[in-house]
Amino acid sequence: MSAPPRLATALMSWSLPPAERTAVLGDLEESFAARRDVSGDGAAAAWYWRQTLRSIVPNLVRRLRRRDRLLVVDAPIVRGLSARRERRSARGRRAHLSFRLLATATLSLALAVNLVVFAVADAIWLRPRPVAEPGRLVIPLSERNGVLTGSGGMAAIGFDQFLPPSVFDSVAGQIQDSGSSASTQLVHVSIDGAPPNLETLGVTANYFATLGVRVLGRDFTAADDTPGAVPVAIVSDRLWRGTFGGRADVLGSMVHATPVPVQVVGVAPDGFRGVRLGEREDVWIPEAIVPRLAGADTRDPAMLIPIARLRHGVSLAQAQEVIARTQRAGAPFRRVLVPADRVFGNSKQPTVVVNETAIGPLVALMAAFVLIAGSATLMALTTVHLERRRREFATRLALGGSRARLVSLLGRELAGVAAAGVAGALLLAGWALRVLPAFDLPGGIDLSRLDLIVDWRVVAAGIAAGLMSLIGAAALPVARASRPRVVEALGTGHATDAPQSAALRRWMLALDVAATTAILVLAGLFVDSAWNGTRDSAGFDAMHDVFVNIRMRANNLPDAAKDLANRHSAATFTRLLDGLRGLPGVTSAAVGFPPIGPDRQRELSSASFQISSAPGRSVTTGVLTVSPDYFDALGMPLLAGRPLTSADAGSSTIVVTRSLAGALFPDGRILGQLAHAGTRSLTIAGVVSDVAFGSIASGTTAAYFEVEAPAAFTVGSQLPIVVRTDRPDRAVSEITRLASDAFPDAARIEVTTGGQLVQNDLGRQRLAAWFFSGFGSVTILLGICGVFGLVAYAADSRRRDLGIRMALGATPRGLIAVAIGGGLIPVVLGAAAGLLLAATVAPLGSTLLVGIESRDLTTYAIVFAGLVGSSALAALIGAWRIQHVDPIEALRAE
Amino acid sequence: MSRSDALGEFEHAVLAAIAHLDDDAYGVTIGNEIESRTKREISVGALYTALDRLERKGFIISTMSDPTPRRGGRSKRHVRLTPGGRAALRKSRAFLDRMWDGLVLDPRKARP
């Protein structure tokens, strides 16, 4: 059996475009065999030669034309020649898969962190409010001593005087529910069949009209907003659909509700739950009927938060100027107009203005750092991955593939990674947003009261950030990979490290480590702050205390009956205290508010109580009225003098904290001295240890205490109790039961453990610690992956080099040390840069730090050591494979 | 019919052969099909030039098959008509039909 003529085959093969050789030579051979079978060898050979000679010219023409366009990146022959070797080998496939997984995970993590931050910003700042022209709605808040102290409540009758029609189209009001001192104005309308705890808000008749919110059914009328009117209500769309099945006949009908049946007259539009951030109202009722429903004195007008709509063409500044003119000179506070969509507040939290100047930019900056770290890791990964495929790319280009086609192929591959990364980030962010509100993070803005959702803005931001970071991370590696030195790449094989790409990866690693270090330092500072605050900065033994506050309803009884009721309450209160002392584990039960919490904070900023010992020496101080055993219950030791007793009740004898004593009488002679608070002269009987007043973070510890007998507290509307117990968490339910048995008609009974109080007080620090630790763990993960990848790849790609060194007598241990050293240099440089970065950025958040400086050396040192140590470990694992390098095999391999 | 869609005589023949062969169209079978029908020997160079051009115009797509021993362990380049290829073939035929419509040539001169 003869084969096709060799010379003809060689000529044919030479003339053909490389990509066509297999198919054409195969065809010729097949036809040759068929002809040989039929016509014999000679005829077949003659035919073969004829074919060759007739085809040479067209073949060469095709070959010239094809150089630029044919069978380039997708050509099967290319896959056959190079990719098969790279990709289909088990190792290539593993490398391909691990690149995709790592890159996707990196992108997902980095994006998810940013999406969570963006979702919070979206909920607070970006999402449009469901009111007409939100930019024209303002809420006047009161400001004392430069501190916004909450909504400056006023009666409706004062609206025209303080908010003149010359600048405002209309002014509506809603019951001042923020904070806790307004219990007599709070009312909960519970509708039968609806979920419990519906939030109810009393509003003026023009509330919806002023907000520009269209009500289904009818709006409130002036007649509805009179004290004796039939109780009417407008309900939320959520309640209407959920409880009433969206039935139209509900409108105008009376529904069973507590405390009284109400007539539902309208339904607010979908999505509207109140004008301030954090409001979740379901029922609106006219404010005039609120005192009646709350059991308060109906003769007093309700205090309202005004909501004003600026006239067209009137700016906030102009309106502010007009408001300033209406105020008396020398008034203790100043009214400040704040855009309604910047005000956060509801019946459970005090009003705060959302302009987080300290932590907002810091969090945004950190999120950006995470994205940078992620992009740097991604860039390093892409470089390594494309470097591995250098030979494949060189083959494609050698076969005539154009660079554009190669870039488009890589672009398509990376687009897949981007899509998977964005999808992963959205899933992660969705999960984080479900988990985030479950963390108790008050002390500012309660995240559980904001609608943290992945809406189209978040998705759009995710896709944009994903594409941007991928383009940013992949542009350089792709540009480099698409112009390999063809001859070199084909000659040296796939596993040789290109020096430029190694340098690029080292830079990327250093960038990643710098971002990681900065984030970890901040995380460390905030973790320390939260820890410090919880441990000892409170100044009292918070971990063994339970605080109770019984809010009484105001009674409208005549004075004689009031006396009787008070005496009855006093007896009940004394019995309750005895009952609490009898509970297992309870060592004492005293009367008094906790020294920290939003109420004390407000007192401190609004009352700014001054106490002085001598002219010119005056100190701003906190003050609490307590029962004599209060200090025992809080575990505050008496440092000097005598304890206060019941005999001191109502006198002007006080006990001061050590800080206050030091500030008033620096010479140390304190006991028996007189101090002056306003017109009162106070005698100092003793000194107790320092205690944080208002907030742990504020660092205020100057305070004094007066005593009253427990019974005297029942005249007020709140009965504050502190219970000292071994097991606060277990005691809560028992304490609550005793208190509600004793005062079944109380408006509200609040029971909080000291631990919760401290946690709430340190909400921001904990939020920051949580955020930065989260960021930190993500970036350290990215950083460690980067170090591992760098060292492992270097070890892998330098096998030949290492093999030669071993053959020349180097030990594996020595080579491992060299490899680790090479991997660690960028880490150390990056970490040093990161420390500098942190030292620059951390002072931004210094107001939030408790008991630690923003440039705390220990934290910086721990982060540096931890990062370098973990990187060294990752490098060691990466370099371990050097042990398995066989010099003979390495020398033979290429 | 736009200029880029126009088929030359040989391209027309190649496309028709591919259509006849359906799933079994590759260099050898296409060549045999044309030779058996036209009794004309065609060169493999011309055939691949035509296939190349047809693929560029989007009238055919090609895939590589597994290698076979009869071909010296080499793969076949299988080709298939695309919908565009079918349309071009149909248009080309209609174009010729219209040109032939009503035309009667002298039978004596027409015979070889």
Side-chain angles (χ1 to χ4, degrees):
Chain A
M1 281 252 254
S2 62
R6 273 195 193 175
L7 181 60
T9 308
L11 266 176
M12 192 72 182
S13 175
W14 165 79
S15 66
L16 278 167
E20 278 184 22
R21 278 180 198 142
T22 313
V24 176
L25 293 177
D27 284 352
L28 283 173
E29 186 155 348
E30 187 181 335
S31 295
F32 173 81
R35 276 165 208 276
R36 188 191 53 208
D37 293 345
V38 176
S39 326
D41 287 348
W47 171 84
Y48 200 103
W49 268 110
R50 251 192 340 269
Q51 283 288 332
T52 305
L53 296 175
R54 284 172 63 188
S55 296
I56 283 179
V57 175
N59 283 354
L60 285 174
V61 170
R62 267 202 330 281
R63 186 175 166 160
L64 281 175
R65 274 200 204 141
R66 279 189 99 119
R67 223 193 125 61
D68 198 40
R69 57 174 171 74
L70 252 185
L71 291 174
V72 189
V73 277
D74 297 325
I77 193 165
V78 180
R79 285 203 288 276
L81 282 176
S82 57
R84 182 172 293 166
R85 181 170 162 181
E86 293 284 337
R87 222 187 278 169
R88 293 191 186 163
S89 70
R91 194 161 157 187
R93 211 165 33 223
R94 265 206 311 279
H96 217 70
L97 187 68
S98 62
F99 163 72
R100 283 193 183 162
L101 283 177
L102 266 176
T104 306
T106 305
L107 196 61
S108 297
L109 278 173
L111 277 182
V113 168
N114 279 270
L115 288 188
V116 170
V117 172
F118 183 79
V120 174
D122 180 40
I124 297 178
W125 287 290
L126 304 179
R127 205 173 300 148
R129 318 280 298 137
V131 297
E133 295 180 77
R136 284 171 57 210
L137 283 179
V138 293
I139 294 179
L141 299 181
S142 33
E143 185 196 77
R144 288 175 208 253
N145 306 326
V147 180
L148 282 170
T149 59
S151 48
M154 59 173 89
I157 203 162
F159 283 4
D160 274 359
Q161 184 189 346
F162 296 112
L163 303 163
S166 59
V167 281
F168 297 107
D169 260 346
S170 63
V171 181
Q174 65 179 52
I175 288 283
Q176 188 185 18
D177 58 350
S178 281
S180 44
S181 57
S183 64
T184 54
Q185 306 216 92
L186 287 180
V187 58
H188 285 278
V189 172
S190 316
I191 291 176
D192 291 6
N197 307 324
L198 292 180
E199 295 194 10
T200 308
L201 186 67
V203 297
T204 55
N206 65 346
Y207 173 80
F208 289 100
T210 302
L211 299 184
V213 170
R214 282 177 165 276
V215 175
L216 179 71
R218 75 164 173 86
D219 200 350
F220 292 133
T221 62
D224 291 330
D225 195 17
T226 50
V230 175
V232 292
I234 289 175
V235 296
S236 67
D237 184 77
R238 182 186 88 113
L239 181 66
W240 181 54
R241 288 183 197 282
T243 303
F244 301 118
R247 295 197 321 271
D249 62 319
V250 175
L251 294 174
S253 64
M254 295 297 285
V255 296
H256 289 287
T258 319
V260 291
V262 293
Q263 186 186 12
V264 175
V265 296
V267 178
D270 186 20
F272 181 77
R273 304 289 296 276
V275 69
R276 291 173 301 175
L277 284 165
E279 279 188 310
R280 312 301 290 278
E281 313 299 345
D282 274 311
V283 181
W284 290 268
I285 55 174
E287 50 84 22
I289 62 171
V290 169
R292 197 174 90 209
L293 300 192
D297 193 337
T298 49
R299 286 167 298 187
D300 294 336
M303 293 308 278
L304 302 173
I305 301 170
I307 304 155
R309 183 171 281 280
L310 291 170
R311 276 195 182 281
H312 271 294
V314 175
S315 72
L316 192 66
Q318 288 165 336
Q320 183 65 60
E321 218 170 276
V322 174
I323 296 289
R325 283 206 295 271
T326 65
Q327 285 207 265
R328 279 185 296 119
F333 63 89
R334 187 169 92 83
R335 284 212 176 80
V336 179
L337 294 177
V338 178
D341 52 8
R342 291 283 171 275
V343 178
F344 179 94
N346 51 66
S347 57
K348 300 207 166 50
Q349 269 107 24
T351 300
V352 281
V353 177
V354 185
N355 50 6
E356 289 281 328
T357 46
I359 199 162
L362 205 60
V363 169
L365 206 63
M366 288 305 108
F369 279 179
V370 174
L371 201 60
I372 290 172
S375 297
T377 305
L378 205 59
M379 199 173 199
L381 283 173
T382 315
T383 311
V384 168
H385 177 63
L386 299 186
E387 195 66 32
R388 271 180 193 279
R389 293 170 62 190
R390 220 148 49 105
R391 193 180 159 92
E392 176 196 332
F393 301 147
T395 311
R396 287 172 189 273
L397 293 176
L399 290 176
S402 70
R403 218 181 136 201
R405 292 281 299 267
L406 188 56
V407 170
S408 109
L409 171 79
L410 295 179
R412 278 203 302 279
E413 281 185 21
L414 291 171
V417 171
V422 170
L426 288 172
L427 282 177
L428 267 177
W431 172 80
L433 290 177
R434 270 203 304 283
V435 172
L436 201 58
F439 283 82
D440 189 22
L441 304 167
I445 294 158
D446 183 352
L447 293 178
S448 69
R449 296 193 67 98
L450 294 173
D451 291 319
L452 297 179
I453 47 168
V454 178
D455 65 1
W456 69 266
R457 280 183 201 77
V458 179
V459 174
I463 292 172
L467 284 179
M468 263 165 49
S469 48
L470 196 75
I471 290 171
L476 196 56
V478 167
R480 285 172 41 79
S482 63
R483 37 159 205 263
R485 293 181 185 163
V486 175
V487 179
E488 196 180 292
L490 290 175
T492 55
H494 69 288
T496 305
D497 202 12
Q500 296 95 335
S501 97
L504 177 66
R505 276 181 289 125
R506 275 191 208 108
W507 275 107
M508 288 305 109
L509 183 62
L511 181 64
D512 178 19
V513 169
T516 308
T517 311
I519 294 170
L520 285 178
V521 165
L522 285 162
L525 292 176
F526 282 107
V527 168
D528 260 1
S529 290
W531 180 254
N532 284 346
T534 318
R535 280 288 114 187
D536 38 44
S537 304
F540 62 92
D541 192 1
M543 295 307 144
H544 291 107
D545 283 328
V546 178
F547 295 94
V548 185
N549 190 12
I550 303 168
R551 294 174 184 278
M552 306 299 289
R553 285 181 199 283
N555 51 38
N556 297 330
L557 300 172
D559 288 349
K562 244 181 202 164
D563 272 355
L564 197 67
N566 281 343
R567 273 206 292 279
H568 174 70
S569 304
T572 314
F573 191 44
T574 315
R575 266 204 311 280
L576 171 61
L577 289 173
D578 290 340
L580 290 171
R581 287 184 191 112
L583 286 177
V586 170
T587 48
S588 77
V591 187
F593 286 105
I596 56 169
D599 287 349
R600 302 291 85 68
Q601 225 168 322
R602 207 170 14 250
E603 274 169 27
L604 203 62
S605 58
S606 58
S608 54
F609 211 82
Q610 298 283 313
I611 187 166
S612 59
S613 53
R617 183 172 293 145
S618 99
V619 182
T620 301
T621 174
V623 53
L624 274 180
T625 306
V626 298
S627 68
D629 45 359
Y630 180 81
F631 305 105
D632 281 345
L634 258 67
M636 289 166 63
L638 186 74
L639 303 177
R642 65 172 179 84
L644 296 178
T645 63
S646 326
D648 297 310
S651 73
S652 298
T653 313
I654 59 168
V655 161
V656 297
T657 60
R658 180 159 52 183
S659 299
L660 183 57
L664 291 176
F665 302 99
D667 59 357
R669 286 184 302 142
I670 305 146
L671 301 176
Q673 298 277 10
L674 277 184
H676 308 281
T679 54
R680 291 178 70 202
S681 294
L682 305 166
T683 312
I684 298 171
V687 179
V688 288
S689 61
D690 275 339
V691 64
F693 199 89
S695 163
I696 295 171
S698 71
T700 309
T701 47
Y704 70 87
F705 301 86
E706 294 183 86
V707 291
E708 280 287 4
F713 285 85
T714 54
V715 178
S717 62
Q718 302 186 53
L719 302 178
I721 305 171
V722 48
V723 180
R724 185 177 177 81
T725 165
D726 297 341
R727 295 168 299 185
D729 289 328
R730 292 197 195 165
V732 166
S733 58
E734 199 60 13
I735 291 172
T736 314
R737 190 184 60 78
L738 278 184
S740 27
D741 285 354
F743 294 95
D745 53 350
R748 208 188 316 170
I749 295 173
E750 294 153 1
V751 181
T752 323
T753 65
Q756 284 169 340
L757 205 66
V758 172
Q759 297 295 320
N760 289 356
D761 186 55
L762 294 170
R764 282 174 196 217
Q765 284 73 18
R766 292 203 309 127
L767 173 60
W770 192 86
F771 249 123
F772 292 119
S773 305
F775 287 167
S777 353
V778 171
T779 49
I780 199 165
L781 206 67
L782 297 179
I784 286 177
C785 282
V787 177
F788 174 79
L790 182 80
V791 176
Y793 179 72
D796 196 32
S797 59
R798 291 172 60 199
R799 261 182 320 161
R800 189 179 154 86
D801 167 30
L802 294 169
I804 293 170
R805 286 174 189 229
M806 277 193 201
L808 292 174
T811 60
R813 197 169 288 183
L815 292 177
I816 288 175
V818 171
I820 293 176
L824 278 188
I825 290 170
V827 173
V828 173
L829 291 179
L835 291 184
L836 286 178
L837 191 64
T840 320
V841 174
L844 280 178
S846 58
T847 50
L848 294 168
L849 298 176
V850 178
I852 190 164
E853 292 294 314
S854 65
R855 289 177 184 158
D856 178 62
L857 270 184
T858 322
T859 310
Y860 282 58
I862 289 174
V863 168
F864 185 82
L867 201 69
V868 173
S870 54
S871 301
L873 193 68
L876 180 67
I877 298 170
W880 203 245
R881 62 184 68 189
I882 290 175
Q883 281 218 321
H884 306 298
V885 172
D886 177 0
I888 310 286
E889 194 189 308
L891 289 173
R892 210 186 271 148
E894 299 293 343
Chain B
M1 195 186 273
S2 76
R3 211 183 131 80
S4 65
D5 284 349
L7 293 178
E9 185 203 25
F10 189 60
E11 287 176 348
H12 191 119
V14 171
L15 274 191
I18 296 170
H20 278 295
L21 290 164
D22 206 355
D23 276 342
D24 191 33
Y26 66 101
V28 174
T29 53
I30 299 168
N32 290 346
E33 185 75 18
I34 298 173
E35 282 183 18
S36 68
R37 286 175 183 269
T38 61
K39 308 295 177 223
R40 218 167 77 183
E41 187 179 296
I42 58 159
S43 86
V44 68
L47 175 61
Y48 272 85
T49 305
L51 286 177
D52 191 12
R53 208 178 301 132
L54 290 170
E55 185 160 40
R56 242 185 308 142
K57 289 179 179 174
F59 294 160
I60 57 167
I61 48 172
S62 57
T63 47
M64 297 302 284
S65 74
D66 290 329
T68 58
R70 195 170 166 77
R71 296 165 57 84
R74 296 189 180 92
S75 308
K76 291 174 190 169
R77 179 179 168 189
H78 272 285
V79 294
R80 245 183 22 244
L81 279 187
T82 63
R86 263 174 229 290
L89 195 56
R90 235 178 267 123
K91 276 185 192 168
S92 183
R93 157 117 193 234
F95 178 74
L96 290 177
D97 283 347
R98 278 198 296 280
M99 291 311 295
W100 276 98
D101 201 10
L103 181 66
V104 183
L105 293 179
D106 183 350
R108 276 172 301 174
K109 283 184 185 171
R111 246 182 233 134

